Structure formats: structure tokens, C-alpha cells
Amino acid sequence: MEFIERIKKRAAEKNCRIVLPESYDTRITAAALQIAGEGFARILLLSDGENRIPDEEQIRKAGIEILDYKHCDDFPVMAEKLYELRKKKGMTREGAASLLQDPLYYGAMMAREEMVDGMVAGACHSTGDTLRPALQIVKTAPGIKTVSAYFLMVVPDCRYGCNGVFLFADSGLVEFPTEEQLVDIAVASARSFEQLTEEEPVVAMLSYSTKGSAKNEKLTPIIRAAKKVKEKYPNLKVDGELQLDAAVDPSVASMKAKGSNVAGNANVLIFPDLNSGNIGYKLVQRLAKAQAYGPVTQGLKKPVNDLSRGCSAEDVVGVVAITCLQA
């Protein structure tokens, strides 16, 4: 069974309700129809009561819920709750009502109030616009300091990783992670990989250097982060700094990183910054024809996931399935 099909099968057992705020995009409505057909989640589309929803008649026939959120009975209640939540930050009642005109803010409030199990957006919005409501309203999970994002990569005909399945982080959110943020990202990513694949995570802290082959003070945070993760989580397989080939290829690992329990077997790849993480996932997606699901956000109380604006309807379907498993 294809990897994402296994995710969908597990998602169906949870029967989650997921809100998609960008109902005016044809990719979103196509995804909603596919999800309804496959039956692994209950989809709620937000309508502003003005813009036309593509294929609305077909959407309604499929039993997909559409909420005219600006005119529903819950709107004033939600506005008051947002005001109470943010009034210490200078929010007014008028400001709260104005913010909730934005479907992403309304969707985030629905997630906070547990009216839905998660939200998926970003097909028509930047990462900042998508995640800002989540950070302000949903907020971080207990004990979490760093909210980060990963891509789940499924590479066809690949003998590396977990039968071609990898987690790339951070590939969508934290631009220049500090040492402590690298620790948080590595630990969260290991948990996410295990949650999604039910396989053991093997974490490589990536660099252009392997085990001191290059000397540069900018490598220090990577090396120290790997050491801290090992100390805090001795049962977690993690190592660094490692070059990509040493991390995933056993033959290279045997030459460059002898004795490492990670080198040659890594399936969770932690990039030193957003430049390399974003470039890396797009290279693998385009040149290796990999499926890239994400960016998937980790570290929030409720899952809110940010789509790439270049996503396809099939990408949306995959991210919704992953969101169900996070819920």
C-alpha cells in the first residue's frame, strides 16, 4: 500500500473534522470532494457569503459542510472570545470583530474552541499570513518553545531512509535556528516521524561537514545541538554534524562516519537553516519526482498546517490526512 494511503486509512479511524478556509480556490474544493469520496475526514468549508465557491452544487451533494461564518450565530460569540484572549495585547472588541472577517482567523478560533480538530490553509496565503492566527490564537503546546515546520518526503524507487520516506525540517518556518531551536526541531521532528510512520526515527543534523572535516565556528550550534539531544534523549538515534551523503548512504557512512548509529540510515534530516531546508525539499520534489507533503507545522496545541502556494489538490488531500493524525 502506498505510504499516503496508509496515512489515510489511519486518519479514517479518527473521523476528524478539518476546516479549510480557502473555499474559493478550485484546488481546495477538488480536494474536499476527493476527501469526501474517500471518507477519511469530515471537511468544513468557510464561505464569506459573497464569493462563489467552485463546484458548490457538487460540494453540497457530497454532503460537505459549508459555513457562512460572517453571518452565523457563533460570530459575535467568537469575536468576544477573541477580544478576551487578546485584550492585554491591546485588542478592542471592534478589532476582534474586524480580524474575524478573515477566514484564517475564524478557522484558528474554531480550532482553539475545539469546534474542529485542525485547519489546513495556505494555498492562497503566505506562510506568515497562515501561521500568524495560529500563533496568536491556538498557541504552542505545553512545554514547547519552538514552533517549526517539516515536509514529509516520499521518494519513489529509493533505497535510502525508511523505504524512501524522509522528514525534512525545518523547511518552512524558522529561518536561522539557534542552537536551542535546533534541539527543539530535532526532538519534535523525531516525534512527528514516529507518529506518522510508526517507524523508529533516525535523526541526522546536516552540514557541509562530517565529524570535523571542516572547521568553522558557524558549525558549532549544529554540533552542540546534536550533543544536547543525545544527552536529553539517550534512546533517540541522533548524530551530527553529517553531510547528506554520509547521513543516508551506508557506503559513504562507512568511510566518513565509522561507528555512528545514524550515518547511512537517517530518515529525519535536520537542516541548519531555512535556506538549505527549503532548497533541499524542492530539489528532491522536482528532480527526484518525490511527493512532498507540507509544510506541516509542529508544536501547536491544535494542528494548523500551511500549504505551499504551488500545491496541487492531491497535496491538499495528503496534508489533511496528516493533520488528522496530529489531532
Side-chain angles (χ1 to χ4, degrees):
M1 185 186 297
E2 186 184 357
F3 177 78
I4 200 64
E5 295 305 317
R6 295 198 298 271
I7 296 286
K8 292 176 184 177
K9 185 176 180 180
R10 290 170 58 202
E13 296 171 0
K14 301 190 72 171
N15 192 34
C16 290
R17 187 186 193 213
I18 306 297
V19 61
L20 304 180
E22 298 164 319
S23 61
Y24 41 83
D25 188 289
T26 56
R27 295 167 296 175
I28 298 300
T29 51
L33 286 166
Q34 182 176 336
I35 293 164
E38 296 182 16
F40 66 81
R42 292 174 290 130
I43 296 299
L44 169 65
L45 296 175
L46 295 186
S47 166
D48 60 11
E50 300 167 8
N51 294 309
R52 187 183 69 84
I53 295 177
D55 303 313
E56 183 170 347
E57 184 177 350
Q58 192 177 357
I59 290 284
R60 293 190 183 279
K61 284 182 179 179
I64 297 168
E65 187 179 359
I66 298 174
L67 175 65
D68 182 354
Y69 69 98
K70 290 184 180 180
H71 305 100
C72 70
D73 293 340
D74 284 330
F75 189 91
V77 178
M78 298 286 260
E80 182 65 20
K81 287 183 176 182
L82 178 57
Y83 161 70
E84 290 293 335
L85 177 67
R86 302 284 298 171
K87 65 182 179 181
K88 290 183 180 179
K89 300 287 186 180
M91 179 71 70
T92 63
R93 284 187 169 87
E94 294 76 14
S98 178
L99 265 186
L100 286 187
Q101 298 290 317
D102 183 332
L104 272 66
Y105 273 89
Y106 198 89
M109 279 298 296
M110 294 189 79
R112 178 184 174 84
E113 296 300 312
E114 299 187 347
M115 299 166 71
V116 295
D117 297 293
M119 179 172 84
V120 174
C124 311
H125 293 83
S126 69
T127 294
D129 288 343
T130 301
L131 294 184
R132 192 175 300 108
L135 294 171
Q136 292 178 354
I137 294 171
V138 178
K139 301 190 176 180
T140 57
I144 298 295
K145 295 180 180 178
T146 305
V147 175
S148 56
Y150 66 83
F151 275 84
L152 191 70
M153 307 297 297
V154 183
V155 187
D157 304 317
C158 178
R159 68 181 187 274
Y160 302 129
C162 183
N163 297 315
V165 177
F166 294 89
L167 187 150
F168 286 16
D170 187 321
S171 303
L173 190 56
V174 185
E175 288 186 284
F176 300 105
T178 64
E179 181 180 316
E180 291 302 325
Q181 287 176 320
L182 284 170
V183 171
D184 289 346
I185 292 166
V187 173
S189 297
R191 290 173 178 164
S192 293
F193 185 85
E194 186 171 17
Q195 179 187 53
L196 294 177
T197 67
E198 299 184 304
E199 299 287 347
E200 182 182 25
V202 183
V203 183
M205 311 292 286
L206 296 183
S207 169
Y208 71 89
S209 169
T210 295
K211 297 296 184 179
S213 63
K215 303 293 183 183
N216 189 314
E217 63 180 19
K218 291 188 177 181
L219 299 176
T220 301
I222 302 168
I223 298 167
R224 287 183 177 172
K227 183 179 179 181
K228 285 184 177 180
V229 176
K230 287 180 184 180
E231 290 171 350
K232 289 183 178 181
Y233 301 92
N235 294 325
L236 176 61
K237 290 181 179 177
V238 59
D239 204 2
E241 85 285 22
L242 294 171
Q243 291 166 291
L244 187 280
D245 55 357
V248 303
D249 190 327
S251 63
V252 177
S254 66
M255 294 183 290
K256 292 186 174 183
K258 290 180 180 179
S260 172
N261 66 347
V262 169
N265 300 297
N267 47 40
V268 177
L269 305 181
I270 307 301
F271 291 82
D273 58 45
L274 187 55
N275 283 318
S276 54
N278 192 271
I279 292 167
Y281 103 76
K282 288 183 177 178
L283 275 172
V284 175
Q285 180 186 33
R286 301 298 178 183
L287 302 187
K289 302 187 186 311
Q291 293 171 300
Y293 297 101
V296 180
T297 311
Q298 52 191 5
L300 292 167
K301 286 181 182 176
K302 288 283 185 179
V304 174
N305 285 318
D306 170 38
L307 298 161
S308 166
R309 278 176 285 178
C311 68
S312 65
E314 194 64 39
D315 293 333
V316 180
V317 171
V319 172
V320 169
I322 291 169
T323 304
C324 292
L325 292 195
Q326 290 181 295

mmCIF file of all heavy atoms in Angstrom, residues 12-39:
data_model
loop_
_atom_site.group_PDB
_atom_site.id
_atom_site.type_symbol
_atom_site.label_atom_id
_atom_site.label_comp_id
_atom_site.label_asym_id
_atom_site.label_seq_id
_atom_site.Cartn_x
_atom_site.Cartn_y
_atom_site.Cartn_z
ATOM 1 N N ALA A 12 -8.878 7.769 8.838
ATOM 2 C CA ALA A 12 -10.299 7.418 8.799
ATOM 3 C C ALA A 12 -10.783 6.892 10.145
ATOM 4 O O ALA A 12 -11.939 7.095 10.525
ATOM 5 C CB ALA A 12 -10.542 6.383 7.706
ATOM 6 N N GLU A 13 -9.889 6.251 10.884
ATOM 7 C CA GLU A 13 -10.258 5.705 12.187
ATOM 8 C C GLU A 13 -10.519 6.811 13.203
ATOM 9 O O GLU A 13 -11.211 6.592 14.202
ATOM 10 C CB GLU A 13 -9.140 4.782 12.682
ATOM 11 C CG GLU A 13 -8.934 3.549 11.805
ATOM 12 C CD GLU A 13 -7.690 2.758 12.194
ATOM 13 O OE1 GLU A 13 -6.990 3.178 13.153
ATOM 14 O OE2 GLU A 13 -7.421 1.726 11.554
ATOM 15 N N LYS A 14 -9.990 8.012 12.953
ATOM 16 C CA LYS A 14 -10.136 9.112 13.901
ATOM 17 C C LYS A 14 -11.364 9.981 13.619
ATOM 18 O O LYS A 14 -11.839 10.700 14.493
ATOM 19 C CB LYS A 14 -8.867 9.982 13.890
ATOM 20 C CG LYS A 14 -7.603 9.208 14.254
ATOM 21 C CD LYS A 14 -6.421 10.125 14.466
ATOM 22 C CE LYS A 14 -6.557 10.896 15.747
ATOM 23 N NZ LYS A 14 -5.344 11.651 16.106
ATOM 24 N N ASN A 15 -11.850 9.967 12.366
ATOM 25 C CA ASN A 15 -13.068 10.706 11.998
ATOM 26 C C ASN A 15 -12.977 12.182 12.373
ATOM 27 O O ASN A 15 -13.880 12.756 12.983
ATOM 28 C CB ASN A 15 -14.300 10.071 12.659
ATOM 29 C CG ASN A 15 -15.603 10.611 12.089
ATOM 30 O OD1 ASN A 15 -15.691 10.924 10.901
ATOM 31 N ND2 ASN A 15 -16.614 10.707 12.937
ATOM 32 N N CYS A 16 -11.873 12.828 12.014
ATOM 33 C CA CYS A 16 -11.646 14.227 12.389
ATOM 34 C C CYS A 16 -12.442 15.196 11.514
ATOM 35 O O CYS A 16 -12.750 14.898 10.358
ATOM 36 C CB CYS A 16 -10.155 14.562 12.270
ATOM 37 S SG CYS A 16 -9.143 13.760 13.534
ATOM 38 N N ARG A 17 -12.710 16.350 12.091
ATOM 39 C CA ARG A 17 -13.353 17.449 11.370
ATOM 40 C C ARG A 17 -12.288 18.518 11.118
ATOM 41 O O ARG A 17 -11.737 19.075 12.063
ATOM 42 C CB ARG A 17 -14.502 18.021 12.196
ATOM 43 C CG ARG A 17 -15.364 19.060 11.472
ATOM 44 C CD ARG A 17 -16.367 19.642 12.448
ATOM 45 N NE ARG A 17 -17.414 20.415 11.783
ATOM 46 C CZ ARG A 17 -18.002 21.479 12.314
ATOM 47 N NH1 ARG A 17 -17.649 21.913 13.522
ATOM 48 N NH2 ARG A 17 -18.943 22.126 11.659
ATOM 49 N N ILE A 18 -12.020 18.795 9.849
ATOM 50 C CA ILE A 18 -10.946 19.714 9.461
ATOM 51 C C ILE A 18 -11.543 20.889 8.691
ATOM 52 O O ILE A 18 -12.318 20.696 7.751
ATOM 53 C CB ILE A 18 -9.889 19.002 8.582
ATOM 54 C CG1 ILE A 18 -9.354 17.746 9.278
ATOM 55 C CG2 ILE A 18 -8.754 19.965 8.234
ATOM 56 C CD1 ILE A 18 -8.621 17.993 10.578
ATOM 57 N N VAL A 19 -11.157 22.107 9.088
ATOM 58 C CA VAL A 19 -11.654 23.292 8.402
ATOM 59 C C VAL A 19 -10.671 23.726 7.313
ATOM 60 O O VAL A 19 -9.462 23.762 7.529
ATOM 61 C CB VAL A 19 -11.923 24.454 9.381
ATOM 62 C CG1 VAL A 19 -10.677 24.906 10.118
ATOM 63 C CG2 VAL A 19 -12.569 25.635 8.661
ATOM 64 N N LEU A 20 -11.216 24.030 6.135
ATOM 65 C CA LEU A 20 -10.461 24.566 5.002
ATOM 66 C C LEU A 20 -11.027 25.963 4.723
ATOM 67 O O LEU A 20 -12.117 26.095 4.161
ATOM 68 C CB LEU A 20 -10.603 23.672 3.768
ATOM 69 C CG LEU A 20 -10.203 22.201 3.928
ATOM 70 C CD1 LEU A 20 -10.402 21.459 2.605
ATOM 71 C CD2 LEU A 20 -8.760 22.069 4.386
ATOM 72 N N PRO A 21 -10.314 27.023 5.098
ATOM 73 C CA PRO A 21 -10.871 28.381 4.965
ATOM 74 C C PRO A 21 -10.871 28.933 3.546
ATOM 75 O O PRO A 21 -11.592 29.891 3.277
ATOM 76 C CB PRO A 21 -9.954 29.232 5.860
ATOM 77 C CG PRO A 21 -9.145 28.268 6.660
ATOM 78 C CD PRO A 21 -9.046 27.029 5.839
ATOM 79 N N GLU A 22 -10.042 28.381 2.655
ATOM 80 C CA GLU A 22 -9.873 28.971 1.315
ATOM 81 C C GLU A 22 -10.807 28.302 0.297
ATOM 82 O O GLU A 22 -10.382 27.773 -0.723
ATOM 83 C CB GLU A 22 -8.406 28.839 0.890
ATOM 84 C CG GLU A 22 -7.463 29.585 1.825
ATOM 85 C CD GLU A 22 -6.013 29.179 1.668
ATOM 86 O OE1 GLU A 22 -5.746 27.964 1.517
ATOM 87 O OE2 GLU A 22 -5.140 30.052 1.691
ATOM 88 N N SER A 23 -12.084 28.366 0.566
ATOM 89 C CA SER A 23 -13.062 27.605 -0.211
ATOM 90 C C SER A 23 -13.239 28.121 -1.635
ATOM 91 O O SER A 23 -13.857 27.449 -2.467
ATOM 92 C CB SER A 23 -14.415 27.641 0.509
ATOM 93 O OG SER A 23 -14.870 28.982 0.626
ATOM 94 N N TYR A 24 -12.719 29.307 -1.939
ATOM 95 C CA TYR A 24 -12.882 29.893 -3.272
ATOM 96 C C TYR A 24 -11.808 29.424 -4.242
ATOM 97 O O TYR A 24 -11.799 29.807 -5.416
ATOM 98 C CB TYR A 24 -12.840 31.422 -3.175
ATOM 99 C CG TYR A 24 -11.784 31.929 -2.218
ATOM 100 C CD1 TYR A 24 -10.462 32.078 -2.612
ATOM 101 C CD2 TYR A 24 -12.118 32.214 -0.897
ATOM 102 C CE1 TYR A 24 -9.492 32.503 -1.723
ATOM 103 C CE2 TYR A 24 -11.155 32.641 0.003
ATOM 104 C CZ TYR A 24 -9.844 32.783 -0.417
ATOM 105 O OH TYR A 24 -8.886 33.192 0.483
ATOM 106 N N ASP A 25 -10.880 28.584 -3.798
ATOM 107 C CA ASP A 25 -9.812 28.057 -4.649
ATOM 108 C C ASP A 25 -10.226 26.685 -5.185
ATOM 109 O O ASP A 25 -10.656 25.805 -4.426
ATOM 110 C CB ASP A 25 -8.514 27.946 -3.841
ATOM 111 C CG ASP A 25 -7.320 27.599 -4.720
ATOM 112 O OD1 ASP A 25 -7.244 26.448 -5.188
ATOM 113 O OD2 ASP A 25 -6.457 28.475 -4.934
ATOM 114 N N THR A 26 -10.085 26.479 -6.485
ATOM 115 C CA THR A 26 -10.533 25.223 -7.090
ATOM 116 C C THR A 26 -9.758 24.009 -6.575
ATOM 117 O O THR A 26 -10.297 22.904 -6.530
ATOM 118 C CB THR A 26 -10.410 25.285 -8.622
ATOM 119 O OG1 THR A 26 -9.054 25.609 -8.982
ATOM 120 C CG2 THR A 26 -11.348 26.325 -9.202
ATOM 121 N N ARG A 27 -8.495 24.207 -6.179
ATOM 122 C CA ARG A 27 -7.718 23.088 -5.633
ATOM 123 C C ARG A 27 -8.299 22.620 -4.299
ATOM 124 O O ARG A 27 -8.317 21.424 -3.986
ATOM 125 C CB ARG A 27 -6.251 23.493 -5.454
ATOM 126 C CG ARG A 27 -5.520 23.805 -6.741
ATOM 127 C CD ARG A 27 -4.196 24.488 -6.459
ATOM 128 N NE ARG A 27 -4.384 25.794 -5.828
ATOM 129 C CZ ARG A 27 -3.386 26.562 -5.379
ATOM 130 N NH1 ARG A 27 -2.127 26.132 -5.466
ATOM 131 N NH2 ARG A 27 -3.628 27.743 -4.837
ATOM 132 N N ILE A 28 -8.785 23.576 -3.516
ATOM 133 C CA ILE A 28 -9.356 23.249 -2.215
ATOM 134 C C ILE A 28 -10.665 22.492 -2.369
ATOM 135 O O ILE A 28 -10.910 21.486 -1.694
ATOM 136 C CB ILE A 28 -9.567 24.531 -1.381
ATOM 137 C CG1 ILE A 28 -8.227 25.232 -1.115
ATOM 138 C CG2 ILE A 28 -10.283 24.210 -0.076
ATOM 139 C CD1 ILE A 28 -7.222 24.410 -0.352
ATOM 140 N N THR A 29 -11.518 22.969 -3.273
ATOM 141 C CA THR A 29 -12.800 22.283 -3.451
ATOM 142 C C THR A 29 -12.597 20.906 -4.086
ATOM 143 O O THR A 29 -13.289 19.946 -3.738
ATOM 144 C CB THR A 29 -13.768 23.124 -4.299
ATOM 145 O OG1 THR A 29 -13.121 23.541 -5.521
ATOM 146 C CG2 THR A 29 -14.208 24.359 -3.522
ATOM 147 N N ALA A 30 -11.633 20.788 -5.001
ATOM 148 C CA ALA A 30 -11.330 19.472 -5.587
ATOM 149 C C ALA A 30 -10.839 18.516 -4.509
ATOM 150 O O ALA A 30 -11.231 17.337 -4.474
ATOM 151 C CB ALA A 30 -10.292 19.612 -6.694
ATOM 152 N N ALA A 31 -10.002 19.027 -3.609
ATOM 153 C CA ALA A 31 -9.501 18.201 -2.507
ATOM 154 C C ALA A 31 -10.639 17.797 -1.580
ATOM 155 O O ALA A 31 -10.714 16.643 -1.131
ATOM 156 C CB ALA A 31 -8.423 18.951 -1.737
ATOM 157 N N ALA A 32 -11.528 18.748 -1.284
ATOM 158 C CA ALA A 32 -12.655 18.456 -0.397
ATOM 159 C C ALA A 32 -13.529 17.341 -0.969
ATOM 160 O O ALA A 32 -13.958 16.432 -0.239
ATOM 161 C CB ALA A 32 -13.485 19.715 -0.179
ATOM 162 N N LEU A 33 -13.765 17.406 -2.271
ATOM 163 C CA LEU A 33 -14.572 16.366 -2.920
ATOM 164 C C LEU A 33 -13.872 15.004 -2.871
ATOM 165 O O LEU A 33 -14.507 13.974 -2.630
ATOM 166 C CB LEU A 33 -14.866 16.759 -4.369
ATOM 167 C CG LEU A 33 -15.899 17.871 -4.549
ATOM 168 C CD1 LEU A 33 -15.877 18.418 -5.973
ATOM 169 C CD2 LEU A 33 -17.296 17.351 -4.201
ATOM 170 N N GLN A 34 -12.570 15.009 -3.077
ATOM 171 C CA GLN A 34 -11.825 13.740 -3.017
ATOM 172 C C GLN A 34 -11.850 13.165 -1.601
ATOM 173 O O GLN A 34 -12.056 11.955 -1.418
ATOM 174 C CB GLN A 34 -10.382 13.941 -3.471
ATOM 175 C CG GLN A 34 -9.582 12.633 -3.468
ATOM 176 C CD GLN A 34 -8.166 12.804 -3.999
ATOM 177 O OE1 GLN A 34 -7.883 13.735 -4.764
ATOM 178 N NE2 GLN A 34 -7.266 11.913 -3.592
ATOM 179 N N ILE A 35 -11.664 14.018 -0.604
ATOM 180 C CA ILE A 35 -11.670 13.558 0.786
ATOM 181 C C ILE A 35 -13.044 13.002 1.162
ATOM 182 O O ILE A 35 -13.157 11.956 1.815
ATOM 183 C CB ILE A 35 -11.263 14.705 1.737
ATOM 184 C CG1 ILE A 35 -9.794 15.074 1.506
ATOM 185 C CG2 ILE A 35 -11.481 14.311 3.196
ATOM 186 C CD1 ILE A 35 -9.387 16.412 2.096
ATOM 187 N N ALA A 36 -14.090 13.701 0.724
ATOM 188 C CA ALA A 36 -15.445 13.215 0.993
ATOM 189 C C ALA A 36 -15.669 11.863 0.344
ATOM 190 O O ALA A 36 -16.292 10.965 0.934
ATOM 191 C CB ALA A 36 -16.466 14.233 0.488
ATOM 192 N N GLY A 37 -15.156 11.709 -0.873
ATOM 193 C CA GLY A 37 -15.297 10.435 -1.574
ATOM 194 C C GLY A 37 -14.558 9.308 -0.884
ATOM 195 O O GLY A 37 -15.039 8.168 -0.833
ATOM 196 N N GLU A 38 -13.387 9.620 -0.344
ATOM 197 C CA GLU A 38 -12.588 8.592 0.321
ATOM 198 C C GLU A 38 -13.005 8.399 1.770
ATOM 199 O O GLU A 38 -12.722 7.356 2.368
ATOM 200 C CB GLU A 38 -11.104 8.956 0.234
ATOM 201 C CG GLU A 38 -10.577 8.976 -1.192
ATOM 202 C CD GLU A 38 -9.094 9.287 -1.276
ATOM 203 O OE1 GLU A 38 -8.400 9.191 -0.236
ATOM 204 O OE2 GLU A 38 -8.620 9.627 -2.368
ATOM 205 N N GLY A 39 -13.644 9.418 2.353
ATOM 206 C CA GLY A 39 -14.252 9.271 3.670
ATOM 207 C C GLY A 39 -13.306 9.203 4.845
ATOM 208 O O GLY A 39 -13.672 8.644 5.886
#
